[in-house]
Amino acid sequence: MTMPARAMGLPLDRFDGPEKVTGTARYAYEQPVDRPAYLHPVQATIAAGRIVAVDTDAAAAEPGVLTVLTHRTAARVASTADPELLILQSAEVNYRGQFVAAVLAETSETARYAASLVRLEYQARPHDVELRADHPDAYAPAQTNGGFDTDSVLGDPEAALAAAEVGIDVTYTTPRYHHNPIEPHANVALWRDDRLTLYLSTQGVHRIRESVATLFGLDHQRVRVVSPHVGGAFGGKLHTHPDVVLAVLAALALPGRPVRFALTRQQMFSQVGYRTPTIQRVRLGADSTGRLRAITHDVIVQTARIKEFVEQAATPTRTMYAAEHRRTTHRVVPLDVPVPTIMRAPGKTPGMFALESALDEMAVACGQDPVEFRIANEPPVDPELGRPFSSRGLVACLREGARRFGWADRDPVPATRRHDGWLVGTGVAASMYPVYRLPGSAATIRVDPGGRYTVSIGAADLGTGTWTALRQVAADALEAPIHRVELRIGDSDLPPAMAAGGSSGITSWGSTVVAAAVRLRLRLAEGYGGSVPAEGLEASAQMPANPHREEFSMYAFGAQFAEVRVHQDTGEVRVPRLLGVFAAGRIINPKTGRSQLLGGMTMGLSMALHERAVVDPRFGHVVNHDLAEYHIATCADVGTVEVHFLDEQDPYVNPMGSKGIGELGIVGTAAA
Ligand code: MOS
């Protein structure tokens, strides 16, 4: 059963909107602190090797410089479990741009200038930063990111491919992508009275607290992480990255002085992860009626030599289409590069680019319409797990999208429609994203005698709308008007919350808040006859597990349609029209929800046409490491983007009936 809605489903304005547009919402770097010291890092100029000489005299002599940190002077960490975080711990250099020193000064200008005076000498060793399909170091990891099986085989795909009446064999590549949220990674770190306070921009305050406490050997009660507003994250602010470590090392070196440290845009290209480039081979085999019999999807990705991260790009192929014979594999190549990480719909975004592009080519090879071809290969149950979907709206999205887009009016023969020198084409692709519920959240709700509720949970708002949507969930669970419900999030002093990742925020936090609300209402009814005692009343709950987890496969789906124009003389590509239809359960807030999908589709358009990190193999750095050269779609690049939601009721996913929508919108756009 899903809970009834009063506030849920309303397109409410963001409660944090006025603060944001008036500039009073405080982001990490803006937290007011006394006598801040400013940090500027020094970055390695080689991709692999050792530091053999350090000269900080000139930097230290600069007026206004407080201290210079190097691997010889910085504090030692207590845990070496995460090699990405061993900053200033040894003379080793593992990738170009790694932090190798830092200057702390009274002003940011002094720190930056003095950092340029630090002299380091290196002994370089040969490096390799290029992903190649035939790389001799490629290996099969134990599992992929997210804990998925590295390989999966059903039936006999090679025999089925050989026997297929229609077949394609296509290799797709995607480049390295960077998250580039508008708010850079920023830290204000203060070590005072044996307690560390960190204001930073993160997807999960408790996650950062645990990782910093472990790294520095501190009792976690001595670490507080505060992050009320985040100006975009896209996965780059989930894990702890070297910027946080450097800020803490600096705070430990200057007890009592708050340290301010924001990454420059250029520094972000080597410090906070990125989406691995991929090489993906997809082979499809069908019978003469266009029924898919075999699918193989073999993925090669890169990781850093110091730490394994394996993008799960073949995993969507385990879910999307029916075929008795199937193989999906992942191989990874360790290189002298920064550690890749999750980025909006990790695995699904590059994986669905390949699979959905191949589906289109296969539809053409089979002489079928790409929409009908997908519908004809819809699986009745989850093809790998054999269990039903809790709800699966792909076919309905394809049909509704085709109707709204005017798909029937297209000319199915490529390169036949011309308009003023432009070739006009149309594309379609599916979107998908799993419904995750991640453990580890708790919520407390307090009610005062005046009937005002305070809901506390250490959740995050990445700019996505949590401040508003979670309050809508709470109001309905409490059966209270929303103006009587106050929400507290973004502080590790609040009850622990799973980080905002895997589009699981509303499912995880919402289910937890509903459980706390049920408990509070029960306590009120049973102990107090429904009236609030003078001292108020409080109830807490842990996140409940989903009892239907083993029964069903749970996914949101969508269908995206694109009109693309290619100039026949210049090759210029324009996308005047994108249209997406999504089946994502109950939409808690159609206004913020629509923004999530608009943003995802725009990011997918940008991925397809504009974004690409260019790595110079001689030096190992991203050459186009700024927003002038790493072009992200601007308003001028984006035409009409339409977002539609189907009314989907799914009683199995969570009490709200909602599915995650933060990542769904980027999946499939590039292929369309
Ligand atoms: Mo999202 S890339 O799972 O933070």
Side-chain angles (χ1 to χ4, degrees), residues 179 203 233-236 238 342-346 433 462 500-503 663:
H179 311 77
Q203 293 174 236
F234 310 117
L238 186 78
I342 62 165
M343 179 168 160
R344 205 169 195 173
Y433 199 80
L462 314 183
S503 298
E663 293 164 279

Side-chain angles (χ1 to χ4, degrees), residues 53 88 141 146 157 172 180 198 272 328 337 371 398 433 503 562 572:
L88 306 191
Y172 301 92
N180 275 315
L198 280 169
V272 296
T328 46
V337 292
V371 171
L398 284 164
Y433 199 80
S503 298
E572 184 183 352

Side-chain angles (χ1 to χ4, degrees), residues 375-434:
I375 292 171
N377 286 290
E378 171 82 352
V381 294
D382 186 315
E384 289 237 328
L385 300 175
R387 61 192 186 194
F389 290 93
S390 62
S391 55
R392 181 172 164 120
L394 177 55
V395 170
C397 289
L398 284 164
R399 293 220 185 279
E400 177 67 4
R403 186 186 72 75
R404 287 181 177 271
F405 186 78
W407 184 255
D409 301 334
R410 74 197 272 270
D411 189 329
V413 181
T416 50
R417 269 173 73 190
R418 283 158 203 259
H419 188 78
D420 275 350
W422 294 84
L423 295 164
V424 183
T426 46
V428 62
S431 305
M432 61 94 82
Y433 199 80

Side-chain angles (χ1 to χ4, degrees), residues 172-175 177 234 275-276 278 280 297 311-317 342-357 429-434 503 560 600-601 603-608 611 662-672:
Y172 301 92
T173 60
T174 56
Y177 293 109
F234 310 117
R275 195 196 298 282
T276 173
T278 69
Q280 306 181 57
H297 189 172
E311 176 116 5
Q312 65 271 35
T315 57
T317 300
I342 62 165
M343 179 168 160
R344 205 169 195 173
K348 315 307 179 209
T349 296
M352 285 288 277
F353 168 68
L355 178 67
E356 289 297 301
S357 299
S431 305
M432 61 94 82
Y433 199 80
S503 298
Q560 298 196 32
M601 291 169 73
M603 202 166 175
L605 167 76
S606 192
M607 166 192 173
E611 294 184 43
E663 293 164 279
L664 179 64
I666 192 178
V667 180
T669 322

Side-chain angles (χ1 to χ4, degrees), residues 304-315:
R305 225 183 271 288
I306 52 167
K307 183 175 167 181
E308 184 184 275
F309 174 88
V310 183
E311 176 116 5
Q312 65 271 35
T315 57

Side-chain angles (χ1 to χ4, degrees), residues 447-459:
V447 58
D448 69 21
R452 292 198 60 86
Y453 297 87
T454 307
V455 178
S456 299
I457 180 168

